[in-house]
Amino acid sequence: DMQRLFWMGVCAFGGAFMLWNIDNIFCTGLRTIRNALPAVVGPFFQLHAYWHIGTALGCYLSIVYQQYLRLVKLGTVDEYRLRWLAMGIIPYLDKDIKQKA
């Protein structure tokens, strides 16, 4: 689970950085494409927006990874469960109630 968290964070940042650079390099061409497409499709070519989404996701994944790592180092990781929302994209740590019994 820790490796998955780590690599998902790296990929989120890396993918976001790649999209941002594509947007910077091909800005004029992308703007032309956006203007030629229907208004409902245009936002999908706003690669800068995907950069914001990707870096936000990467930051969140990094924070959960660091929380998980701290639990491992403290030896209390067995008291928590790593759970996933949104089709396995959004992780969170949940206190394992069964451990109290």
Side-chain angles (χ1 to χ4, degrees):
D1 283 339
M2 287 186 70
Q3 284 187 350
R4 180 180 176 194
L5 269 176
F6 176 81
W7 287 112
M8 282 180 69
V10 168
C11 289
F13 274 115
F17 183 71
M18 183 180 64
L19 290 174
W20 177 61
N21 278 297
I22 290 170
D23 192 45
N24 283 334
I25 294 167
F26 300 107
C27 182
T28 306
L30 287 170
R31 188 175 295 140
T32 303
I33 291 170
R34 274 195 307 267
N35 292 336
L37 293 172
V40 295
V41 181
F44 292 106
F45 290 89
Q46 294 281 352
L47 300 184
H48 184 89
Y50 292 112
W51 176 78
H52 286 283
I53 293 167
T55 54
L57 180 61
C59 285
Y60 177 76
L61 292 168
S62 175
I63 290 167
V64 174
Y65 174 80
Q66 291 171 37
Q67 289 175 328
Y68 197 107
L69 183 61
R70 179 169 167 76
L71 293 173
V72 170
K73 294 294 181 184
L74 291 173
T76 59
V77 71
D78 293 334
E79 298 173 20
Y80 294 85
R81 291 215 183 271
L82 183 64
R83 302 196 189 273
W84 298 86
L85 295 172
M87 298 177 293
I89 297 173
I90 309 294
Y92 69 99
L93 289 166
D94 190 21
K95 185 82 167 167
D96 192 1
I97 301 169
K98 296 175 188 174
Q99 289 294 328
K100 291 182 179 180

